[in-house]
Amino acid sequence: MAAQSTARRQRVRKQLKKLGVDALLVTNFANVTYLSGFTGDDSYLLLTRDRDVLISDPRYTTQLEEECPGLELEIRQPGTSMTAGVAKVAGSTGGTKIAVEADSMTLALSEALAAALPKAELVSTRGVVEEMREVKDADEIVLIREAIHQAERAFGVLRATLRPEQTEREVCTELEYQLRRFGATGASFPPIIAVGARAALPHARPTDQKINESDFVLVDWGANGKLYKSDLTRVLVTGKISPKLERVYGVVLKSQLAGIAAIRPGATCHEVDAAARDVIAKAGFGSKFGHGLGHGIGLDIHEGPRLGRNNQTVLKPGMVVTVEPGIYLPGWGGVRIEDDVLVTKTGHEVLTSVAKELPDMVVG
Ligand code: GLY
Ligand code: MN
Ligand code: MN
């Protein structure tokens, strides 16, 4: 991990030259983890052209020594602000142009930094580290596979033990427990358990609605493994398959398969989104699919690249994206099917393996 982090920081250093800045202050905690191996928070990383310094506080001293051996630390003492810590390091490097991460820097932090470093010029940047994170290396892919495996095993137990009188909340609690049982540190996001009409809300929160109050339940869940995340959605049939469910489910599955088939190096995110969206539009449900087709997963549950309209980002081997079309019909319900897909050198590999044909979704 230490060697990997060092190599990643070297790549950022090359970017500093291109950006014409003396340093980059990394304030996004996932980016700090990516570049240092440190898994705590409340810590920033200052990368200059010849130094890397992690600025943290005494709560993390031991953890930092374990997780980032060899990395220079600035442990600010109680009563010393984070910005004072940054100024102490930046001041001693002689850097005058400091790139900051506009997406994670608050206005308050920006003002405090400007006050602490009156001679420095803060240069707003976006996506410097996030773009590197979009392409996963072999170790990251192993960790994503692990998080998928944990999620799939948890879902297997959930499905086998699902009872009609359970509420969405109870199913959610059970799923979170099973995720931990299979090695996850927890869910990668609050699971969505949405019975019948509630599945028309793409981000429904679990309620006291019971499983037996409808014919189907949408489950959107994932595991937080060793930092890396998984993200899946399936619709379980707990009653009868109505003609409407059969129709909507069939369109969503066809759309998802078309989206997956379009994934290969060189394809744009827009093209992949369009391949899936066209199927839904042609079936007359275009206005009922109101979100992008998918997103990258990794240290964050939602990261780049985003599979969406007008996104001309080109897919590269090593990217891992979700493919999750949906049709949402208020008052009736919704269907979304979501898998995690790796872009390979020659095309793609679907990393998730939970069955998704409609007859397979019927629970006993
Ligand atoms: N869990 C939210 C999503 O699928 O993106
Ligand atoms: Mn999801
Ligand atoms: Mn997702």
Side-chain angles (χ1 to χ4, degrees):
M1 189 70 191
Q4 229 165 13
S5 304
T6 307
R8 290 172 183 168
R9 293 198 298 272
Q10 286 294 353
R11 287 179 58 204
V12 174
R13 194 161 279 113
K14 286 191 187 141
Q15 295 287 318
L16 297 186
K17 280 192 192 148
K18 274 195 203 147
L19 290 165
V21 296
D22 301 295
L24 170 69
L25 179 65
V26 184
T27 48
N28 172 309
F29 296 144
N31 289 348
V32 171
T33 300
Y34 182 74
L35 295 173
S36 69
F38 174 56
T39 61
D41 51 24
D42 290 337
S43 304
Y44 299 157
L45 184 64
L46 187 73
L47 301 180
T48 73
R49 292 202 181 186
D50 55 10
R51 266 176 93 197
D52 307 330
V53 186
L54 207 147
I55 302 146
S56 190
D57 64 70
R59 286 174 303 165
Y60 288 123
T61 309
T62 305
Q63 186 178 336
L64 281 160
E65 284 163 3
E66 283 169 11
E67 292 182 340
C68 332
L71 184 61
E72 186 179 344
L73 305 177
E74 171 63 31
I75 304 293
R76 64 190 174 92
Q77 293 310 310
T80 308
S81 70
M82 193 67 171
T83 39
V86 174
K88 186 174 166 198
V89 178
S92 67
T93 63
T96 52
K97 272 190 166 184
I98 303 177
V100 295
E101 299 186 301
D103 287 312
S104 61
M105 168 146 298
T106 62
L107 190 54
L109 178 56
S110 171
E111 287 171 355
L113 266 182
L117 290 160
K119 290 198 184 131
E121 181 189 343
L122 301 182
V123 180
S124 172
T125 64
R126 299 191 69 190
V128 174
V129 184
E130 285 86 342
E131 273 178 33
M132 282 173 57
R133 283 172 45 195
E134 288 183 359
V135 176
K136 274 71 187 175
D137 64 28
D139 291 344
E140 292 177 288
I141 293 166
V142 166
L143 296 175
I144 292 174
R145 284 185 198 274
E146 255 177 51
I148 289 170
H149 189 60
Q150 291 160 350
E152 293 191 327
R153 292 189 77 187
F155 183 74
V157 173
L158 186 88
R159 177 186 171 142
T161 57
L162 197 66
R163 297 186 315 277
E165 69 281 8
Q166 272 179 307
T167 66
E168 291 172 349
R169 254 190 258 274
E170 286 164 351
V171 173
C172 185
T173 306
E174 178 65 24
L175 183 52
E176 289 177 316
Y177 167 68
Q178 292 299 339
L179 285 166
R180 279 190 287 276
R181 234 190 106 214
F182 288 112
T185 53
S188 53
F189 59 91
I192 297 167
I193 312 291
V195 170
R198 291 199 44 77
L201 284 71
H203 277 185
R205 288 277 164 266
T207 66
D208 289 327
Q209 179 114 20
K210 290 189 170 152
I211 295 296
N212 61 10
E213 289 178 63
S214 168
D215 286 328
F216 58 93
V217 55
L218 182 148
V219 182
D220 182 349
W221 82 107
N224 192 9
K226 291 193 194 87
L227 297 178
Y228 283 77
K229 298 174 175 47
S230 55
D231 187 9
L232 298 87
T233 305
R234 289 292 184 268
V235 172
L236 290 173
V237 181
T238 52
K240 61 180 188 316
I241 298 177
S242 67
K244 189 163 183 176
L245 177 60
E246 188 163 14
R247 164 90 179 124
V248 172
Y249 196 98
V251 173
V252 174
L253 182 55
K254 190 173 166 200
S255 160
Q256 203 228 16
L257 294 175
I260 292 171
I263 293 181
R264 61 178 187 283
T268 66
C269 289
H270 171 89
E271 285 164 359
V272 176
D273 179 273
R277 196 168 297 280
D278 284 355
V279 173
I280 289 180
K282 283 201 180 101
F285 294 107
S287 65
K288 309 298 180 190
F289 175 22
H291 55 75
L293 181 65
H295 52 87
I297 52 170
L299 288 170
D300 283 323
I301 185 65
H302 293 134
E303 54 181 57
R306 310 261 167 183
L307 300 181
R309 275 180 276 204
N310 304 323
N311 184 349
Q312 298 305 331
T313 303
V314 173
L315 294 183
K316 296 186 189 124
M319 289 177 165
V320 181
V321 292
T322 68
V323 181
E324 50 178 308
I327 292 177
Y328 308 95
L329 305 174
W332 176 78
V335 170
R336 178 169 64 255
I337 304 171
E338 177 176 24
D339 283 299
D340 301 338
V341 181
L342 168 68
V343 183
T344 62
K345 283 191 182 133
T346 53
H348 62 263
E349 178 189 346
V350 181
L351 300 178
T352 36
S353 59
V354 182
K356 59 185 171 186
E357 294 291 332
L358 186 53
D360 295 325
M361 305 323 294
V362 180
V363 291

